[in-house]
């Protein structure tokens, strides 16, 4: 079964940190690009970061540049999102998703999505 499963979300105070995981099954994360997205009810889904099959990273969201880092562990077939200095506006459901092209980069849309993990940042 081709799928991705997110975990690691939770409730934290402003300034705190979280590490999200995206465990991939049915495909290799060194063959496909995988990205992180977030969505708030009533707002458009936001593309934040992507890491290509070869490990090149792309930053899409200016609001999290310098605070979030994407990485992967090929042996564990898992993508990570390291989130630091969290702010209330980071509150959202965070999704990971595979990009369509085999051995591709972070282009061309997504074909496999996870169910998401909730991140809540509040005092």
């Amino acid at each position: 079964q081709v799928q991705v499963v997110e975990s690691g979300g939770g409730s934290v105070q402003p300034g705190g940190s979280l590490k999200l995981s995206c465990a991939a099954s049915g495909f290799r994360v060194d063959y496909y690009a995988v990205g992180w997205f977030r969505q708030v009810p009533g707002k458009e889904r936001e593309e934040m970061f992507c890491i290509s099959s070869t490990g090149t990273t792309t930053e899409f969201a200016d609001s999290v540049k310098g605070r979030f880092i994407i990485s992967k562990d090929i042996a564990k077939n898992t993508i990570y999102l390291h989130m630091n200095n969290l702010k209330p506006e980071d509150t959202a459901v965070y999704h990971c998703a595979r990009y369509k092209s085999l051995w591709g980069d972070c282009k061309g849309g997504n074909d496999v999505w996870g169910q998401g993990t909730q991140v809540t940042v509040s005092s």
Side-chain angles (χ1 to χ4, degrees):
Q1 190 76 40
V2 177
Q3 64 178 17
V4 290
V5 179
E6 305 93 335
S7 63
S11 181
V12 298
Q13 294 184 340
S17 299
L18 284 173
K19 180 182 178 181
L20 305 184
S21 298
C22 171
S25 301
F27 72 97
R28 297 297 308 177
V29 299
D30 54 341
Y31 289 177
Y32 287 87
V34 178
W36 281 100
F37 304 75
R38 66 184 181 186
Q39 189 165 30
V40 177
K43 296 183 178 181
E44 296 293 324
R45 183 174 57 228
E46 180 182 27
E47 186 175 26
M48 300 187 300
F49 289 90
C50 176
I51 187 164
S52 75
S53 60
T54 58
T56 302
T57 60
T58 302
E59 299 177 350
F60 295 104
D62 290 338
S63 62
V64 299
K65 288 182 178 178
R67 298 190 296 120
F68 292 7
I69 301 172
I70 189 171
S71 67
K72 66 180 175 183
D73 187 328
I74 296 174
K76 295 182 178 180
N77 210 36
T78 299
I79 307 295
Y80 301 100
L81 185 65
H82 308 263
M83 305 188 297
N84 301 304
N85 192 24
L86 285 160
K87 302 177 180 180
E89 52 264 42
D90 296 320
T91 296
V93 176
Y94 285 72
H95 299 265
C96 62
R98 187 180 79 170
Y99 289 78
K100 295 177 181 178
S101 181
L102 180 65
W103 305 315
D105 55 11
C106 307
K107 300 177 181 178
N110 308 91
D111 61 354
V112 182
W113 290 84
Q115 82 289 344
T117 185
Q118 176 72 47
V119 172
T120 302
V121 185
S122 65
S123 300

PDB file of all heavy atoms in Angstrom, residues 2-6 35-38 45 95-98 109-116:
ATOM      1  N   VAL A   2       0.695   2.116  -0.958  1.00  0.00           N
ATOM      2  CA  VAL A   2       1.451   3.351  -1.044  1.00  0.00           C
ATOM      3  C   VAL A   2       0.783   4.382  -0.141  1.00  0.00           C
ATOM      4  O   VAL A   2      -0.373   4.754  -0.368  1.00  0.00           O
ATOM      5  CB  VAL A   2       1.514   3.872  -2.481  1.00  0.00           C
ATOM      6  CG1 VAL A   2       2.244   5.207  -2.537  1.00  0.00           C
ATOM      7  CG2 VAL A   2       2.194   2.849  -3.374  1.00  0.00           C
ATOM      8  N   GLN A   3       1.495   4.859   0.861  1.00  0.00           N
ATOM      9  CA  GLN A   3       0.913   5.817   1.775  1.00  0.00           C
ATOM     10  C   GLN A   3       2.001   6.557   2.540  1.00  0.00           C
ATOM     11  O   GLN A   3       3.160   6.142   2.581  1.00  0.00           O
ATOM     12  CB  GLN A   3      -0.032   5.136   2.767  1.00  0.00           C
ATOM     13  CG  GLN A   3       0.640   4.145   3.697  1.00  0.00           C
ATOM     14  CD  GLN A   3      -0.331   3.537   4.694  1.00  0.00           C
ATOM     15  OE1 GLN A   3      -1.554   3.593   4.512  1.00  0.00           O
ATOM     16  NE2 GLN A   3       0.199   2.957   5.753  1.00  0.00           N
ATOM     17  N   VAL A   4       1.596   7.674   3.154  1.00  0.00           N
ATOM     18  CA  VAL A   4       2.425   8.410   4.091  1.00  0.00           C
ATOM     19  C   VAL A   4       1.596   8.656   5.340  1.00  0.00           C
ATOM     20  O   VAL A   4       0.390   8.913   5.262  1.00  0.00           O
ATOM     21  CB  VAL A   4       2.936   9.747   3.517  1.00  0.00           C
ATOM     22  CG1 VAL A   4       3.962   9.494   2.418  1.00  0.00           C
ATOM     23  CG2 VAL A   4       1.802  10.597   2.971  1.00  0.00           C
ATOM     24  N   VAL A   5       2.230   8.582   6.505  1.00  0.00           N
ATOM     25  CA  VAL A   5       1.553   8.745   7.777  1.00  0.00           C
ATOM     26  C   VAL A   5       2.322   9.742   8.624  1.00  0.00           C
ATOM     27  O   VAL A   5       3.497   9.528   8.940  1.00  0.00           O
ATOM     28  CB  VAL A   5       1.421   7.410   8.525  1.00  0.00           C
ATOM     29  CG1 VAL A   5       0.729   7.625   9.876  1.00  0.00           C
ATOM     30  CG2 VAL A   5       0.649   6.399   7.698  1.00  0.00           C
ATOM     31  N   GLU A   6       1.645  10.835   9.012  1.00  0.00           N
ATOM     32  CA  GLU A   6       2.265  11.871   9.823  1.00  0.00           C
ATOM     33  C   GLU A   6       2.096  11.574  11.311  1.00  0.00           C
ATOM     34  O   GLU A   6       1.107  10.971  11.727  1.00  0.00           O
ATOM     35  CB  GLU A   6       1.649  13.247   9.524  1.00  0.00           C
ATOM     36  CG  GLU A   6       1.687  13.660   8.061  1.00  0.00           C
ATOM     37  CD  GLU A   6       0.415  13.284   7.327  1.00  0.00           C
ATOM     38  OE1 GLU A   6      -0.280  12.342   7.758  1.00  0.00           O
ATOM     39  OE2 GLU A   6       0.115  13.943   6.308  1.00  0.00           O
ATOM     40  N   GLY A  35       6.886  16.545   0.310  1.00  0.00           N
ATOM     41  CA  GLY A  35       6.763  17.883   0.855  1.00  0.00           C
ATOM     42  C   GLY A  35       5.889  17.948   2.089  1.00  0.00           C
ATOM     43  O   GLY A  35       5.153  17.012   2.401  1.00  0.00           O
ATOM     44  N   TRP A  36       5.984  19.082   2.787  1.00  0.00           N
ATOM     45  CA  TRP A  36       5.142  19.383   3.941  1.00  0.00           C
ATOM     46  C   TRP A  36       4.205  20.535   3.600  1.00  0.00           C
ATOM     47  O   TRP A  36       4.623  21.535   2.996  1.00  0.00           O
ATOM     48  CB  TRP A  36       5.976  19.746   5.167  1.00  0.00           C
ATOM     49  CG  TRP A  36       6.572  18.573   5.877  1.00  0.00           C
ATOM     50  CD1 TRP A  36       7.845  18.112   5.784  1.00  0.00           C
ATOM     51  CD2 TRP A  36       5.907  17.716   6.809  1.00  0.00           C
ATOM     52  NE1 TRP A  36       8.022  17.021   6.589  1.00  0.00           N
ATOM     53  CE2 TRP A  36       6.846  16.750   7.233  1.00  0.00           C
ATOM     54  CE3 TRP A  36       4.609  17.668   7.328  1.00  0.00           C
ATOM     55  CZ2 TRP A  36       6.531  15.749   8.145  1.00  0.00           C
ATOM     56  CZ3 TRP A  36       4.294  16.667   8.236  1.00  0.00           C
ATOM     57  CH2 TRP A  36       5.247  15.723   8.633  1.00  0.00           C
ATOM     58  N   PHE A  37       2.946  20.390   4.013  1.00  0.00           N
ATOM     59  CA  PHE A  37       1.898  21.370   3.798  1.00  0.00           C
ATOM     60  C   PHE A  37       1.164  21.595   5.110  1.00  0.00           C
ATOM     61  O   PHE A  37       1.230  20.763   6.016  1.00  0.00           O
ATOM     62  CB  PHE A  37       0.891  20.876   2.749  1.00  0.00           C
ATOM     63  CG  PHE A  37       1.487  20.515   1.418  1.00  0.00           C
ATOM     64  CD1 PHE A  37       2.209  19.343   1.251  1.00  0.00           C
ATOM     65  CD2 PHE A  37       1.312  21.345   0.320  1.00  0.00           C
ATOM     66  CE1 PHE A  37       2.749  19.000   0.026  1.00  0.00           C
ATOM     67  CE2 PHE A  37       1.846  21.013  -0.917  1.00  0.00           C
ATOM     68  CZ  PHE A  37       2.569  19.844  -1.054  1.00  0.00           C
ATOM     69  N   ARG A  38       0.450  22.696   5.215  1.00  0.00           N
ATOM     70  CA  ARG A  38      -0.407  22.904   6.376  1.00  0.00           C
ATOM     71  C   ARG A  38      -1.705  23.574   5.945  1.00  0.00           C
ATOM     72  O   ARG A  38      -1.759  24.271   4.925  1.00  0.00           O
ATOM     73  CB  ARG A  38       0.285  23.718   7.463  1.00  0.00           C
ATOM     74  CG  ARG A  38       0.605  25.166   7.105  1.00  0.00           C
ATOM     75  CD  ARG A  38       1.382  25.821   8.242  1.00  0.00           C
ATOM     76  NE  ARG A  38       1.704  27.203   7.969  1.00  0.00           N
ATOM     77  CZ  ARG A  38       2.463  27.962   8.750  1.00  0.00           C
ATOM     78  NH1 ARG A  38       2.980  27.452   9.867  1.00  0.00           N
ATOM     79  NH2 ARG A  38       2.701  29.220   8.424  1.00  0.00           N
ATOM     80  N   ARG A  45      -4.809  25.601   1.597  1.00  0.00           N
ATOM     81  CA  ARG A  45      -3.662  24.809   1.999  1.00  0.00           C
ATOM     82  C   ARG A  45      -2.370  25.491   1.540  1.00  0.00           C
ATOM     83  O   ARG A  45      -2.278  25.986   0.421  1.00  0.00           O
ATOM     84  CB  ARG A  45      -3.768  23.405   1.399  1.00  0.00           C
ATOM     85  CG  ARG A  45      -2.655  22.463   1.826  1.00  0.00           C
ATOM     86  CD  ARG A  45      -2.902  21.057   1.323  1.00  0.00           C
ATOM     87  NE  ARG A  45      -3.038  21.012  -0.108  1.00  0.00           N
ATOM     88  CZ  ARG A  45      -4.018  20.384  -0.746  1.00  0.00           C
ATOM     89  NH1 ARG A  45      -4.951  19.740  -0.061  1.00  0.00           N
ATOM     90  NH2 ARG A  45      -4.059  20.390  -2.074  1.00  0.00           N
ATOM     91  N   HIS A  95       0.286  18.268   6.898  1.00  0.00           N
ATOM     92  CA  HIS A  95       0.239  17.109   6.022  1.00  0.00           C
ATOM     93  C   HIS A  95       1.569  16.944   5.303  1.00  0.00           C
ATOM     94  O   HIS A  95       2.234  17.917   4.976  1.00  0.00           O
ATOM     95  CB  HIS A  95      -0.848  17.257   4.955  1.00  0.00           C
ATOM     96  CG  HIS A  95      -2.237  17.395   5.476  1.00  0.00           C
ATOM     97  ND1 HIS A  95      -3.084  16.316   5.600  1.00  0.00           N
ATOM     98  CD2 HIS A  95      -2.923  18.481   5.900  1.00  0.00           C
ATOM     99  CE1 HIS A  95      -4.245  16.742   6.071  1.00  0.00           C
ATOM    100  NE2 HIS A  95      -4.167  18.048   6.267  1.00  0.00           N
ATOM    101  N   CYS A  96       1.944  15.704   5.020  1.00  0.00           N
ATOM    102  CA  CYS A  96       2.999  15.451   4.057  1.00  0.00           C
ATOM    103  C   CYS A  96       2.383  14.808   2.821  1.00  0.00           C
ATOM    104  O   CYS A  96       1.292  14.232   2.869  1.00  0.00           O
ATOM    105  CB  CYS A  96       4.119  14.580   4.631  1.00  0.00           C
ATOM    106  SG  CYS A  96       3.654  12.916   5.152  1.00  0.00           S
ATOM    107  N   ALA A  97       3.081  14.934   1.695  1.00  0.00           N
ATOM    108  CA  ALA A  97       2.558  14.420   0.438  1.00  0.00           C
ATOM    109  C   ALA A  97       3.692  14.107  -0.525  1.00  0.00           C
ATOM    110  O   ALA A  97       4.690  14.838  -0.580  1.00  0.00           O
ATOM    111  CB  ALA A  97       1.603  15.420  -0.203  1.00  0.00           C
ATOM    112  N   ARG A  98       3.526  13.045  -1.287  1.00  0.00           N
ATOM    113  CA  ARG A  98       4.478  12.673  -2.308  1.00  0.00           C
ATOM    114  C   ARG A  98       4.219  13.454  -3.586  1.00  0.00           C
ATOM    115  O   ARG A  98       3.071  13.666  -3.967  1.00  0.00           O
ATOM    116  CB  ARG A  98       4.385  11.170  -2.605  1.00  0.00           C
ATOM    117  CG  ARG A  98       5.459  10.668  -3.542  1.00  0.00           C
ATOM    118  CD  ARG A  98       5.321   9.175  -3.811  1.00  0.00           C
ATOM    119  NE  ARG A  98       4.278   8.882  -4.787  1.00  0.00           N
ATOM    120  CZ  ARG A  98       4.098   7.675  -5.334  1.00  0.00           C
ATOM    121  NH1 ARG A  98       4.868   6.645  -4.972  1.00  0.00           N
ATOM    122  NH2 ARG A  98       3.122   7.485  -6.214  1.00  0.00           N
ATOM    123  N   GLY A 109       2.832  18.627  -8.842  1.00  0.00           N
ATOM    124  CA  GLY A 109       1.693  18.218  -8.034  1.00  0.00           C
ATOM    125  C   GLY A 109       1.948  16.958  -7.226  1.00  0.00           C
ATOM    126  O   GLY A 109       2.989  16.311  -7.341  1.00  0.00           O
ATOM    127  N   ASN A 110       0.955  16.598  -6.424  1.00  0.00           N
ATOM    128  CA  ASN A 110       1.080  15.513  -5.461  1.00  0.00           C
ATOM    129  C   ASN A 110       0.025  14.443  -5.699  1.00  0.00           C
ATOM    130  O   ASN A 110      -1.100  14.741  -6.108  1.00  0.00           O
ATOM    131  CB  ASN A 110       0.944  16.061  -4.039  1.00  0.00           C
ATOM    132  CG  ASN A 110       1.866  17.229  -3.785  1.00  0.00           C
ATOM    133  OD1 ASN A 110       1.493  18.386  -3.990  1.00  0.00           O
ATOM    134  ND2 ASN A 110       3.082  16.925  -3.354  1.00  0.00           N
ATOM    135  N   ASP A 111       0.381  13.190  -5.413  1.00  0.00           N
ATOM    136  CA  ASP A 111      -0.541  12.089  -5.656  1.00  0.00           C
ATOM    137  C   ASP A 111      -0.817  11.216  -4.440  1.00  0.00           C
ATOM    138  O   ASP A 111      -1.726  10.385  -4.480  1.00  0.00           O
ATOM    139  CB  ASP A 111      -0.058  11.221  -6.822  1.00  0.00           C
ATOM    140  CG  ASP A 111       1.301  10.574  -6.576  1.00  0.00           C
ATOM    141  OD1 ASP A 111       1.944  10.865  -5.547  1.00  0.00           O
ATOM    142  OD2 ASP A 111       1.721   9.763  -7.425  1.00  0.00           O
ATOM    143  N   VAL A 112      -0.060  11.354  -3.369  1.00  0.00           N
ATOM    144  CA  VAL A 112      -0.268  10.576  -2.157  1.00  0.00           C
ATOM    145  C   VAL A 112      -0.201  11.512  -0.962  1.00  0.00           C
ATOM    146  O   VAL A 112       0.826  12.162  -0.734  1.00  0.00           O
ATOM    147  CB  VAL A 112       0.773   9.451  -2.001  1.00  0.00           C
ATOM    148  CG1 VAL A 112       0.489   8.641  -0.736  1.00  0.00           C
ATOM    149  CG2 VAL A 112       0.783   8.542  -3.224  1.00  0.00           C
ATOM    150  N   TRP A 113      -1.284  11.572  -0.199  1.00  0.00           N
ATOM    151  CA  TRP A 113      -1.398  12.467   0.951  1.00  0.00           C
ATOM    152  C   TRP A 113      -1.616  11.697   2.238  1.00  0.00           C
ATOM    153  O   TRP A 113      -2.286  10.664   2.255  1.00  0.00           O
ATOM    154  CB  TRP A 113      -2.571  13.431   0.766  1.00  0.00           C
ATOM    155  CG  TRP A 113      -2.364  14.463  -0.296  1.00  0.00           C
ATOM    156  CD1 TRP A 113      -2.576  14.319  -1.637  1.00  0.00           C
ATOM    157  CD2 TRP A 113      -1.906  15.799  -0.105  1.00  0.00           C
ATOM    158  NE1 TRP A 113      -2.277  15.492  -2.292  1.00  0.00           N
ATOM    159  CE2 TRP A 113      -1.868  16.420  -1.374  1.00  0.00           C
ATOM    160  CE3 TRP A 113      -1.534  16.541   1.021  1.00  0.00           C
ATOM    161  CZ2 TRP A 113      -1.461  17.739  -1.545  1.00  0.00           C
ATOM    162  CZ3 TRP A 113      -1.125  17.848   0.856  1.00  0.00           C
ATOM    163  CH2 TRP A 113      -1.094  18.438  -0.418  1.00  0.00           C
ATOM    164  N   GLY A 114      -1.071  12.222   3.328  1.00  0.00           N
ATOM    165  CA  GLY A 114      -1.336  11.678   4.643  1.00  0.00           C
ATOM    166  C   GLY A 114      -2.580  12.294   5.257  1.00  0.00           C
ATOM    167  O   GLY A 114      -3.153  13.250   4.737  1.00  0.00           O
ATOM    168  N   GLN A 115      -3.000  11.749   6.384  1.00  0.00           N
ATOM    169  CA  GLN A 115      -4.205  12.220   7.061  1.00  0.00           C
ATOM    170  C   GLN A 115      -3.985  13.493   7.854  1.00  0.00           C
ATOM    171  O   GLN A 115      -4.945  14.174   8.218  1.00  0.00           O
ATOM    172  CB  GLN A 115      -4.751  11.128   7.979  1.00  0.00           C
ATOM    173  CG  GLN A 115      -4.078  11.007   9.343  1.00  0.00           C
ATOM    174  CD  GLN A 115      -2.662  10.458   9.295  1.00  0.00           C
ATOM    175  OE1 GLN A 115      -2.241   9.878   8.292  1.00  0.00           O
ATOM    176  NE2 GLN A 115      -1.921  10.637  10.385  1.00  0.00           N
ATOM    177  N   GLY A 116      -2.745  13.818   8.152  1.00  0.00           N
ATOM    178  CA  GLY A 116      -2.408  15.030   8.866  1.00  0.00           C
ATOM    179  C   GLY A 116      -2.213  14.827  10.352  1.00  0.00           C
ATOM    180  O   GLY A 116      -2.706  13.873  10.948  1.00  0.00           O
TER     181      GLY A 116
END
